[in-house]
C-alpha cells in the first residue's frame, strides 16, 4: 500500500482525505502539529505529501522549505492545498508539485495525484 | 403827451433813477418789476420781467402798452387791477392766471402787486411786481390745502422797504415792512418798535456790528438773520442796505429792503438736513450710531433737540438723543433713566405709537402744562429743557409703530408750523425705512452668522466651488473652518489656490473622483464618491464627498455644493469587517472541503450505489455543498468589491477559448444543452479568472431560471471596437421593472408562484462590477415567460 502524509491543522480535512485516498490504495497519515512533521515523514516514508498553505501558527511555505531542506524528502511530490483564492499563484512560486483548491472534487484530486506521481 | 404829464414822468423817473433801491432791484432781482404810465405803457421793466415773464427784450417793452405786449386775450384779466391802481388803490398779491405767448396751451400763474408810486401825488405812475408761481402752484396744488396756498401767496410778495434817517432817528417803513416785522404792534411800554427790536437775540449783535462796520467802510450790506415776532414766531429775513453820507462823510441815512426768506431758509435747511440724513440712513451694522448722527444733524439744521425712541416691549429705549450742549444731553439722559418712558408712563411717545399719528404742539404754553397735570418736578424739567415747540412722529415698520422720532425747538424760540409736519413726515418715513432695513439686515446678518457658526461646528467640510466652464479650473467660494482641523491646511490655501482640493487627492483615486465629477455635470444628479485626501503631514485619510451641481439661470453647471465627511473610522471598521468576512469564509471552506470529500467518497461505495434513493440524496448533498461553497466565494468577492480591492490580473486572451473552457466545465453539471455559436476569434484584455466567473454565473443562472427548457444558446459577436457575448435562456423571464434592479446587490427574481429561486442575488452584482472594471457593459433583454438574454460587451483587442 502506498503512503501519503497529510499536513493540515483540521482533523476533518485529514480524515476526509484519508477516506478519499483509500479509494486509490493510499494510506493517509495525518499530522496536525508542526514539530511532528519531520519525525512523521521519517517514520512513514510517504510517496506523497499534502500540505495546507495556511497552517495555524506556521506558514505552509515555511513548512515546504523545511521538508525540502531534508535530503531524503527533496524528491517526494508535495501537493499544496488552500482555500485562499490566490493559493494557486503561491504554489507556482514555491517548491511544490501541485495545487489543490479547497474545497475540491474527487475527480480533480485523482487527476492531480496521477499527474504528480508520474512526474 | 402833454408837457405837464411829461414833466410828471420825468420827475418820477428822476426819482426812480436816483433811487438806488429801484435801480438795483430792476437790474438784479429775480422779480418781475415794472412801471407803467396812466395809459398803461411800459416806462421801465426789470430784466427779469422782460426776459423771464414776457420772453421779450427790455427795449421791446418800453413805450408799448400792456395790451400790446401780453396780447388782447390776456389784457382783460389784468385791466381791472391796473384801473384800480390808477385811482390810487394798492393791489396786493392778486393771483392771475394767464396764458403765455410761448407755449400758450399751458396755464401760468402769477402773483401781481400794483401800487401807485410813492412821492407822486397824482399817482399817475403805477409800480408793479409780478411773480410767476406756476411751478409752486402746480406742485402745491396736489399736496397743499387751500389754507397753505393762501399762506404761501401771502408770504410771497412782501418786500419791505425802510428809510432810516440817522439824524432824526426816524424810520419810514413801507406797508410790507410793517407787515413783515409786525411793527404796528407796540412793545409793552407803548413805544413804537423798530425792526431792529425784532431781531433774534442770537443774531442781533452780529447785525448791529454789521451795520456799523458797513457804514464806516462805506459799503452796502446784504445779510440774512432771524427775527422773532410778538407771538414768538421765528422768521428768516434777508436784509440789504445802502448808506448815504453827508459832506463830512458821516452816514446820515440807511435805505434798505427786507424780505421774508423763512420758507426758503427752512427748505434749504431741511434739504441740507435731508440730503445729509439720507446719506447716513443706509443699513449699517451700528444702527444706533447712525441714528445718533442723524439726530446731531437735525440739531445742526432744524431742531434744538432731536431724539429717536424705539419701543422694546413696554419701554421706550432712547436710541439717540442730541442737543448742542452736551451737558443738557447728560441732564436729559439722567431724567430718562430716572423716569423711564413706557407705554403707561409716557404721554407723547405712547400716544404717538398707539395712534400712529404725529403729535404736534406748536407752542408749549404754561396752560398746556397745566392741562397735562404735571408734577412740580416735571414742570421744573420742562422749564429747564425750555421746550417750546414739539413734533413727535411715529416710526412705522410694516404698518406697525415701533417707535418715534422727536423734534423740539427750545432755545432758538421758534415754532414748528403745519408746513414742518410735511418734511418731518418725509424724514420719519426715511427713518422708518432705515429702521426696517436695518432690522432686516440685522436679521439676515444674524442668520448668516448663525449658519456660519453651525457650519463651524459641523464635523465635516461644507463647501461651494465655482468654475467658468466645466473644463476650466474651479475655485472654492465657500468652505467652513473645519477643513483646517481635518487636514491641517489653512483656509486661505483652499480659497486662494485653484484646484487645491483636487491636487491633494490620492493618485489612485483621482480617476474615480473625476469620473464622478463628470457624471454629475452630465446628468445633473447628486454625486457620491470616496477618495483619500492627503493631510498636511503627508498622511492620507479616507473621505466621502456628496455634492450637487450648481446651475445658473441658463441651466448650465457652474459649480458644486456639497459636504465632505471623514470616513477613515468607518473605513477602518469596514476593513475589519472585510477581514472578518475573509477569515470567516476561509474558516467555512475547511469544513466544506471535508464535507465534499466525504460525500463523494460515500457515493463510490457499492452498497450505496445499489440504492438509487441514497445516491440521489447524496447527489443533492453534494450540490448543496457546492452552492454553499459558491456563496462563500461570493461573500468574499463582495467584501472585496466594497473595499475597492477587486484586483484584476489582465492579460490578452481569446474570448472564444475562454467561453469554451467555461462551457466545458459547466456542461456536466447542468441538464441543458449549451449551444455555442461564434464566428471569428475575438480577443480581449481581461482577467481570465474573473471573466470565467462572470460567464459561469450567467450560464448557471440561465439554467437555474429555465428549469423546463432544454437548451441555452451562447453567441459571440464581433464588432469593430467591441465584442458582445449573449447568453439566452428560455425560462421564466424578468419583468421590465426588475431588469435594472437585478444588477443591484442582494436582488433576486421571484417567479409567478412566488417560489424563490436559489441564490442571494450577489452574482449579478459581482458580474456587473467585474465587467465595469473591464470597461465593458452588461445588460439584459427579457420578457416574462419568454426567457432572458444577458449581454456582456467588452472592448475588443485587435490582432492575434
Amino acid at each position: 500500500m502506498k503512503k501519503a502524509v497529510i499536513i493540515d491543522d483540521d482533523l476533518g480535512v485529514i480524515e476526509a482525505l484519508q477516506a478519499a485516498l483509500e479509494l486509490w490504495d493510499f494510506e493517509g497519515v495525518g499530522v496536525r502539529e508542526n514539530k511532528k512533521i519531520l519525525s512523521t515523514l521519517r517514520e512513514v516514508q510517504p510517496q506523497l505529501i499534502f500540505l495546507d498553505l495556511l497552517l495555524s501558527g506556521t506558514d505552509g511555505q515555511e513548512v515546504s522549505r523545511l521538508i525540502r531542506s531534508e535530503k531524503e524528502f527533496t524528491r517526494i511530490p508535495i501537493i499544496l492545498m488552500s482555500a485562499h483564492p490566490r493559493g494557486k499563484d503561491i504554489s507556482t512560486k514555491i517548491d511544490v508539485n501541485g495545487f489543490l483548491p479547497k474545497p475540491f472534487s474527487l475527480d480533480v484530486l485523482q487527476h492531480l495525484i496521477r499527474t504528480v506521481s508520474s512526474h | 403827451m402833454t408837457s405837464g404829464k411829461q414833466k410828471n414822468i420825468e420827475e418820477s423817473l428822476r426819482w426812480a433813477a436816483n433811487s438806488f433801491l429801484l435801480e438795483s432791484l430792476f437790474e438784479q432781482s429775480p422779480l418781475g418789476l415794472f412801471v407803467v404810465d396812466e395809459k398803461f405803457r411800459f416806462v421801465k421793466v426789470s430784466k427779469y420781467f422782460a426776459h423771464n415773464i414776457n420772453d421779450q427784450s427790455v427795449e421791446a417793452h418800453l413805450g408799448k402798452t400792456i395790451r400790446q405786449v401780453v396780447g388782447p386775450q390776456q389784457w382783460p384779466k389784468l385791466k381791472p387791477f391796473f384801473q384800480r391802481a390808477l385811482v390810487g388803490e394798492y393791489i396786493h398779491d392778486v393771483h392771475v392766471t394767464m396764458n403765455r405767448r410761448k407755449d400758450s396751451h399751458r396755464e401760468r400763474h402769477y402773483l401781481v402787486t400794483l401800487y401807485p408810486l410813492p412821492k407822486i401825488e397824482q399817482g399817475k405812475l403805477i409800480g408793479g411786481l409780478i411773480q410767476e408761481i406756476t411751478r409752486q402752484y402746480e406742485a402745491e396744488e396736489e399736496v397743499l390745502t387751500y389754507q397753505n396756498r393762501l399762506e404761501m401767496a401771502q408770504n410771497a410778495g412782501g418786500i419791505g422797504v425802510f428809510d432810516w434817517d440817522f439824524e432824526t432817528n426816524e424810520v419810514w417803513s413801507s406797508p410790507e415792512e410793517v407787515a413783515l416785522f409786525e411793527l404796528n404792534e407796540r412793545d409793552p411800554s407803548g413805544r413804537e418798535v423798530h425792526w431792529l427790536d425784532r431781531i433774534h437775540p442770537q443774531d442781533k449783535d452780529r447785525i448791529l456790528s454789521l451795520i456799523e462796520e458797513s457804514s464806516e467802510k462805506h459799503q452796502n450790506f446784504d445779510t440774512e438773520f432771524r427775527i422773532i415776532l410778538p407771538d414768538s414766531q421765528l422768521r428768516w429775513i434777508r436784509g440789504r442796505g445802502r448808506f448815504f453820507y453827508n459832506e463830512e462823510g458821516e452816514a446820515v441815512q440807511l435805505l434798505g429792503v427786507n424780505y421774508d426768506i423763512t420758507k426758503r431758509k427752512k427748505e434749504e435747511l431741511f434739504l441740507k438736513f435731508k440730503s445729509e440724513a439720507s446719506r447716513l440712513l443706509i443699513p449699517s451694522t451700528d444702527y444706533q450710531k447712525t441714528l445718533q448722527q442723524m439726530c446731531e444733524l437735525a440739531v445742526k439744521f432744524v431742531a434744538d433737540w432731536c431724539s429717536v425712541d424705539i419701543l422694546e416691549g413696554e419701554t421706550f429705549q432712547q436710541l439717540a438723543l442730541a442737543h448742542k450742549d452736551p451737558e443738557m444731553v447728560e441732564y436729559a439722559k439722567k431724567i430718562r433713566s430716572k423716569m423711564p418712558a413706557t407705554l403707561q408712563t409716557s404721554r407723547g411717545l405712547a400716544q404717538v405709537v398707539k395712534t400712529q399719528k404725529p403729535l404736534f404742539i406748536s407752542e408749549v404754553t404754561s396752560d398746556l402744562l397745566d392741562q397735562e397735570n404735571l408734577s412740580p418736578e416735571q414742570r421744573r424739567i420742562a422749564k429747564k429743557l425750555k421746550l417750546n415747540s414739539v413734533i413727535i412722529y411715529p416710526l412705522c415698520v410694516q404698518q406697525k409703530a415701533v417707535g418715534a422720532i422727536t423734534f423740539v425747538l427750545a432755545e432758538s424760540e421758534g415754532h414748528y408750523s403745519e408746513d414742518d409736519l410735511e418734511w418731518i413726515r418725509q424724514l420719519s418715513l426715511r427713518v422708518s425705512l432705515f429702521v426696517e432695513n436695518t432690522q432686516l439686515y440685522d436679521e439676515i446678518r444674524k442668520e448668516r452668522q448663525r449658519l456660519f457658526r453651525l457650519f463651524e461646528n459641523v464635523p465635516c467640510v461644507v463647501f461651494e466651488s465655482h468654475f467658468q466652464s466645466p473644463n476650466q479650473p474651479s475655485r472654492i467660494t465657500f468652505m467652513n473652518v473645519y477643513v483646517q482641523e481635518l487636514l491641517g491646511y489653512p483656509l486661505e490655501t483652499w480659497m486662494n489656490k485653484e484646484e487645491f482640493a483636487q491636487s491633494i487627492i490620492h493618485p489612485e483615486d483621482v480617476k474615480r473622483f473625476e469620473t464622478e465629477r463628470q457624471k454629475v455635470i452630465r446628468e445633473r444628479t447628486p454625486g457620491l464618491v470616496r477618495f483619500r485626501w492627503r493631510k498636511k503631514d503627508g498622511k492620507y485619510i479616507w473621505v466621502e464627498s456628496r455634492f450637487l451641481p450648481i446651475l445658473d439661470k441658463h441651466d448650465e453647471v457652474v459649480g458644486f455644493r456639497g459636504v465632505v465627511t471623514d470616513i477613515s473610522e468607518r473605513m477602518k471598521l469596514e476593513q475589519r469587517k472585510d477581514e472578518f468576512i475573509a477569515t470567516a469564509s476561509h474558516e467555512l471552506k475547511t469544513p466544506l472541503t471535508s464535507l465534499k470529500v466525504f460525500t463523494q467518497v460515500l457515493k463510490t461505495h457499492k452498497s450505496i450505489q445499489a440504492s438509487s434513493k441514497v445516491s440521489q440524496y447524496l447527489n443533492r448533498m453534494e450540490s448543496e455543498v457546492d452552492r454553499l461553497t459558491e456563496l462563500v466565494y461570493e461573500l468574499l468577492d463582495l467584501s472585496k468589491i466594497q473595499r475597492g480591492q477587486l484586483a484584476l490580473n489582465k492579460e490578452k486572451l481569446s474570448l472564444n477559448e475562454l467561453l469554451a473552457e467555461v462551457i466545458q466545465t459547466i456542461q456536466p453539471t447542468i441538464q441543458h444543452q449549451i449551444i455555442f455559436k461564434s464566428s471569428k476569434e475575438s480577443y480581449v484584455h481581461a482577467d481570465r479568472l474573473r471573466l470565467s466567473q462572470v460567464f459561469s454565473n450567467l450560464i448557471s443562472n440561465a439554467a437555474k431560471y429555465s428549469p423546463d427548457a432544454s437548451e441555452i444558446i451562447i453567441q459571440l459577436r464581433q464588432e469593430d471596437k467591441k465584442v458582445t457575448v449573449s447568453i439566452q435562456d428560455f425560462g421564466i423571464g424578468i419583468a421590465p421593472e426588475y431588469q435594472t434592479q437585478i444588477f443591484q446587490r442582494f436582488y433576486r427574481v421571484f417567479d409567478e408562484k412566488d417560489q424563490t429561486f436559489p441564490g442571494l442575488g450577489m452574482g449579478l452584482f459581482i458580474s456587473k462590477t467585474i465587467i465595469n472594471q473591464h470597461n465593458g457593459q452588461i445588460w439584459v433583454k427579457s420578457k416574462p415567460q419568454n426567457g432572458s438574454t444577458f449581454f456582456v460587451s467588452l472592448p475588443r483587442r485587435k490582432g492575434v
Side-chain angles (χ1 to χ4, degrees):
Chain A
M1 212 180 191
K2 288 173 277 185
K3 286 181 178 169
V5 168
I6 306 156
I7 306 167
D8 200 308
D9 57 356
D10 188 89
L11 189 61
V13 172
I14 291 174
E15 286 178 359
L17 257 178
Q18 284 172 332
L21 288 171
E22 254 179 54
L23 298 177
W24 309 299
D25 296 326
F26 267 98
E27 184 195 342
V29 180
V31 185
R32 295 170 66 199
E33 289 164 85
N34 295 328
K35 52 187 179 188
K36 287 187 182 166
I37 292 173
L38 285 181
S39 58
T40 309
L41 286 177
R42 283 196 193 99
E43 193 187 306
V44 177
Q45 293 295 329
Q47 281 78 46
L48 190 58
I49 300 171
F50 288 92
L51 171 62
D52 184 54
L53 177 62
L54 289 165
L55 287 166
S56 40
T58 322
D59 193 324
Q61 292 184 58
E62 280 176 38
V63 179
S64 76
R65 217 172 292 139
L66 176 77
I67 297 169
R68 292 303 190 208
S69 66
E70 293 293 314
K71 223 176 183 177
E72 46 186 322
F73 307 131
T74 46
R75 298 183 64 84
I76 305 176
I78 300 178
I79 292 174
L80 191 73
M81 304 184 291
S82 178
H84 197 283
R86 294 283 170 205
K88 192 173 182 179
D89 289 346
I90 296 165
S91 75
T92 59
K93 286 169 193 150
I94 61 176
D95 193 3
V96 295
N97 307 78
F99 178 72
L100 187 63
K102 282 178 176 177
F104 50 85
S105 68
L106 289 192
D107 298 341
V108 175
L109 177 61
Q110 192 177 15
H111 179 75
L112 196 60
I113 290 171
R114 267 193 211 136
T115 316
V116 299
S117 300
S118 65
H119 197 68
Chain B
M1 201 181 280
T2 66
S3 67
K5 277 176 190 165
Q6 184 68 40
K7 211 179 159 199
N8 270 346
I9 294 168
E10 276 170 11
E11 249 178 66
S12 304
L13 282 178
R14 204 175 310 123
W15 178 86
N18 284 339
S19 163
F20 137 79
L21 167 67
L22 203 58
E23 209 53 54
S24 88
L25 279 176
F26 271 68
E27 266 303 304
Q28 297 161 15
S29 78
L31 295 168
L33 297 173
F34 57 85
V35 178
V36 292
D37 65 12
E38 84 281 5
K39 296 261 190 232
F40 308 130
R41 283 179 300 218
F42 286 108
V43 174
K44 194 161 180 67
V45 296
S46 71
K47 258 191 191 164
Y48 185 88
F49 176 78
H51 294 141
N52 297 57
I53 309 254
N54 286 331
D55 306 312
Q56 292 178 42
S57 68
V58 172
E59 292 69 32
H61 283 74
L62 299 179
K64 291 218 179 104
T65 61
I66 302 172
R67 189 173 184 272
Q68 283 171 321
V69 172
V70 301
Q73 271 101 39
Q74 307 301 324
W75 170 236
K77 295 178 189 169
L78 296 167
K79 196 177 171 185
F81 301 116
F82 279 87
Q83 283 173 333
R84 277 159 63 190
L86 201 58
V87 294
E89 194 183 335
Y90 177 73
I91 309 290
H92 181 69
D93 279 340
V94 289
H95 179 188
V96 181
T97 307
M98 294 203 291
N99 297 81
R100 208 152 135 185
R101 280 194 169 164
K102 208 166 108 185
D103 49 59
S104 60
H105 61 281
R106 191 175 165 195
E107 214 169 56
R108 290 182 176 270
H109 301 267
Y110 302 94
L111 285 181
V112 180
T113 295
L114 299 174
Y115 43 91
L117 278 177
K119 301 200 177 175
I120 304 278
E121 282 168 7
Q122 277 80 23
K124 294 301 181 195
L125 279 184
I126 301 166
L129 169 72
I130 183 161
Q131 248 191 315
E132 179 163 2
I133 52 160
T134 310
R135 211 185 308 151
Q136 293 95 313
Y137 184 87
E138 284 172 355
E140 302 293 329
E141 182 89 319
E142 295 166 21
V143 288
L144 295 181
T145 59
Y146 174 72
Q147 179 71 32
N148 286 336
R149 276 210 305 280
L150 195 67
E151 203 175 285
M152 184 195 67
Q154 282 167 350
N155 286 336
I159 294 182
V161 180
F162 68 91
D163 183 348
W164 185 353
D165 188 333
F166 292 148
E167 284 170 339
T168 61
N169 203 22
E170 272 180 17
V171 182
W172 173 83
S173 301
S174 75
E176 293 88 347
E177 179 83 352
V178 172
L180 192 59
F181 288 84
E182 295 187 10
L183 298 177
N184 46 0
E185 285 192 28
R186 292 170 182 255
D187 73 1
S189 65
R191 192 176 63 89
E192 240 181 65
V193 268
H194 192 280
W195 61 268
L196 280 173
D197 297 333
R198 296 279 188 236
I199 296 181
H200 192 287
Q202 287 176 3
D203 292 344
K204 194 159 185 174
D205 289 347
R206 181 174 60 85
I207 297 301
L208 288 176
S209 56
L210 180 73
I211 291 176
E212 203 179 322
E213 202 179 301
S214 305
S215 74
E216 277 168 16
K217 291 185 179 167
H218 291 230
Q219 281 175 344
N220 301 334
F221 69 83
D222 182 349
T223 186
E224 292 176 358
F225 54 89
R226 289 166 294 177
I227 61 167
I228 294 177
L229 297 179
D231 63 354
S232 66
Q233 219 190 102
L234 183 133
R235 270 191 196 164
W236 276 93
I237 300 293
R238 179 155 184 195
R240 300 161 76 176
R242 182 180 173 177
F243 297 93
F244 292 89
Y245 304 88
N246 60 17
E247 281 152 20
E248 283 82 45
E250 289 169 351
V252 290
Q253 191 186 7
L254 171 61
L255 260 180
V257 286
N258 287 315
Y259 51 95
D260 190 343
I261 54 162
T262 310
K263 199 166 162 69
R264 168 171 70 77
K265 202 73 190 171
K266 272 192 173 173
E267 270 168 12
E268 252 176 42
L269 284 172
F270 173 60
L271 279 175
K272 240 184 206 166
F273 172 55
K274 199 169 116 177
S275 75
E276 291 197 22
S278 302
R279 226 171 302 147
L280 268 179
L281 294 172
I282 48 171
S284 68
T285 44
D286 195 345
Y287 113 115
Q288 195 167 353
K289 188 175 157 199
T290 307
L291 288 175
Q292 180 63 33
Q293 286 171 334
M294 196 265 316
C295 284
E296 275 158 18
L297 269 183
V299 164
K300 195 167 151 197
F301 294 114
V302 293
D304 292 316
W305 288 97
C306 181
S307 65
V308 176
D309 291 85
I310 297 289
L311 197 58
E312 277 178 23
E314 293 274 290
T315 311
F316 287 99
Q317 295 296 332
Q318 195 166 54
L319 291 191
L321 173 69
H323 185 270
K324 278 182 210 87
D325 183 355
E327 272 180 34
M328 289 297 276
V329 172
E330 279 312 302
Y331 176 71
K333 280 186 177 167
K334 219 192 276 169
I335 292 166
R336 179 52 90 84
S337 69
K338 222 160 86 184
M339 292 185 274
T342 68
L343 281 178
Q344 278 73 42
T345 60
S346 136
R347 286 189 173 78
L349 287 172
Q351 182 194 324
V352 165
V353 166
K354 282 175 189 161
T355 60
Q356 298 196 16
K357 286 199 177 101
L359 177 76
F360 171 38
I361 304 168
S362 171
E363 185 169 8
V364 180
T365 58
S366 46
D367 285 354
L368 189 82
L369 296 179
D370 289 341
Q371 277 172 27
E372 287 290 319
N373 243 336
L374 295 182
S375 69
E377 196 188 2
Q378 285 172 316
R379 288 189 82 111
R380 206 159 38 81
I381 293 164
K383 204 162 179 194
K384 168 135 193 192
L385 296 176
K386 293 184 188 148
L387 307 181
N388 205 24
S389 188
V390 180
I391 292 179
I392 308 179
Y393 221 99
L395 297 175
C396 296
V397 171
Q398 290 164 351
Q399 276 99 50
K400 207 178 147 231
V402 295
I405 184 164
T406 306
F407 294 88
V408 173
L409 286 175
E411 295 85 352
S412 59
E413 297 196 4
H415 290 291
Y416 287 122
S417 65
E418 291 280 348
D419 287 347
D420 294 315
L421 271 177
E422 174 55 23
W423 65 257
I424 292 182
R425 186 186 70 84
Q426 291 178 24
L427 185 87
S428 61
L429 277 180
R430 248 167 216 281
V431 175
S432 296
L433 205 65
F434 166 73
V435 170
E436 182 174 5
N437 281 344
T438 307
Q439 281 177 355
L440 285 176
Y441 179 82
D442 210 43
E443 237 167 75
I444 291 169
R445 203 168 48 89
K446 277 185 190 150
E447 277 300 304
R448 221 178 124 84
Q449 250 173 14
R450 206 165 63 96
L451 215 59
F452 277 29
R453 289 270 149 74
L454 265 177
F455 282 149
E456 271 172 33
N457 293 317
V458 166
C460 45
V461 181
V462 181
F463 72 92
E464 197 178 77
S465 68
H466 281 91
F467 44 70
Q468 295 287 326
S469 78
N471 303 323
Q472 301 268 319
S474 66
R475 185 180 278 280
I476 300 285
T477 44
F478 172 81
M479 198 170 242
N480 60 336
V481 287
Y482 174 75
V483 76
Q484 296 185 166
E485 196 183 314
L486 184 67
L487 296 171
Y489 310 99
L491 198 56
E492 297 82 65
T493 309
W494 293 88
M495 304 298 286
N496 298 337
K497 276 195 183 171
E498 282 180 345
E499 301 278 293
F500 180 69
Q502 283 90 321
S503 71
I504 55 165
I505 293 176
H506 194 288
E508 285 174 19
D509 301 340
V510 169
K511 197 180 159 201
R512 189 173 51 237
F513 177 86
E514 196 46 41
T515 309
E516 188 68 8
R517 192 174 171 270
Q518 293 303 333
K519 193 199 94 186
V520 171
I521 292 172
R522 204 173 51 241
E523 296 172 11
R524 279 107 203 270
T525 49
L528 173 64
V529 62
R530 286 177 178 190
F531 55 88
R532 280 160 289 177
W533 245 350
R534 194 177 63 239
K535 296 208 290 182
K536 203 175 178 213
D537 63 12
K539 287 179 188 152
Y540 280 95
I541 56 162
W542 273 101
V543 292
E544 182 178 87
S545 176
R546 290 166 182 272
F547 57 102
L548 285 166
I550 302 173
L551 302 177
D552 68 3
K553 55 176 184 269
H554 308 298
D555 232 26
E556 295 291 327
V557 179
V558 293
F560 299 111
R561 198 176 278 140
V563 175
V564 182
T565 330
D566 176 8
I567 54 160
S568 33
E569 279 306 309
R570 207 195 311 168
M571 289 303 267
K572 271 183 209 157
L573 276 179
E574 280 185 17
Q575 202 172 342
R576 229 174 290 159
K577 183 197 77 186
D578 291 335
E579 277 162 14
F580 168 76
I581 290 176
T583 314
S585 53
H586 185 259
E587 291 292 321
L588 282 169
K589 280 184 205 167
T590 308
L592 282 172
T593 305
S594 35
L595 203 56
K596 172 130 176 141
V597 173
F598 279 126
T599 316
Q600 285 179 302
V601 173
L602 256 184
K603 274 165 68 181
T604 62
H605 277 251
K606 291 211 170 60
S607 59
I608 283 172
Q609 281 171 344
S611 160
S612 65
K613 217 162 199 179
V614 175
S615 297
Q616 193 195 333
Y617 291 165
L618 276 174
N619 280 337
R620 279 303 301 273
M621 274 174 70
E622 199 191 346
S623 76
E624 290 304 306
V625 170
D626 289 344
R627 221 179 92 201
L628 205 54
T629 309
E630 197 186 315
L631 280 177
V632 169
Y633 274 107
E634 284 182 350
L635 260 180
L636 203 60
D637 283 347
L638 205 66
S639 81
K640 277 183 191 161
I641 287 170
Q642 277 190 287
R643 242 188 307 170
Q645 283 184 353
L646 192 78
L648 298 179
N649 284 332
K650 287 189 189 173
E651 57 182 314
K652 187 177 172 184
L653 51 90
S654 157
L655 202 53
N656 306 57
E657 273 176 30
L658 184 119
L659 279 166
E661 278 170 30
V662 172
I663 292 165
Q664 199 187 352
T665 319
I666 221 162
Q667 182 64 80
T669 66
I670 59 172
Q671 306 293 321
H672 307 64
Q673 199 202 337
I674 302 173
I675 301 161
F676 180 35
K677 299 174 183 172
S678 75
S679 49
K680 292 176 202 158
E681 190 93 343
S682 301
Y683 292 90
V684 290
H685 187 65
D687 184 313
R688 184 180 293 275
L689 214 68
R690 289 298 180 189
L691 217 50
S692 306
Q693 186 184 343
V694 171
F695 292 121
S696 302
N697 175 248
L698 292 175
I699 297 168
S700 42
N701 276 351
K704 227 182 272 176
Y705 293 105
S706 62
D708 304 325
S710 59
E711 52 186 36
I712 292 167
I713 302 171
I714 298 176
Q715 267 186 299
L716 195 156
R717 284 184 212 88
Q718 184 182 308
E719 289 163 50
D720 183 34
K721 285 192 175 151
K722 60 179 185 178
V723 196
T724 305
V725 180
S726 62
I727 295 111
Q728 186 180 11
D729 70 54
F730 303 90
I732 59 171
I734 305 158
E737 61 265 37
Y738 301 130
Q739 288 182 11
T740 52
Q741 293 181 27
I742 52 169
F743 293 103
Q744 293 165 8
R745 283 165 64 186
F746 310 127
Y747 196 82
R748 238 175 349 180
V749 170
F750 299 91
D751 80 348
E752 282 188 333
K753 290 168 212 145
D754 203 29
Q755 183 198 332
T756 309
F757 274 78
L760 260 180
M762 292 182 285
L764 283 177
F765 171 71
I766 293 167
S767 295
K768 183 179 158 70
T769 309
I770 291 170
I771 296 301
N772 285 352
Q773 286 200 12
H774 281 89
N775 299 320
Q777 280 169 309
I778 184 167
W779 71 99
V780 67
K781 279 184 183 168
S782 178
K783 267 187 186 167
Q785 305 311 327
N786 269 324
S788 311
T789 307
F790 280 81
F791 297 89
V792 171
S793 77
L794 292 164
R796 187 184 149 218
R797 266 281 166 125
K798 289 186 184 172
V800 186

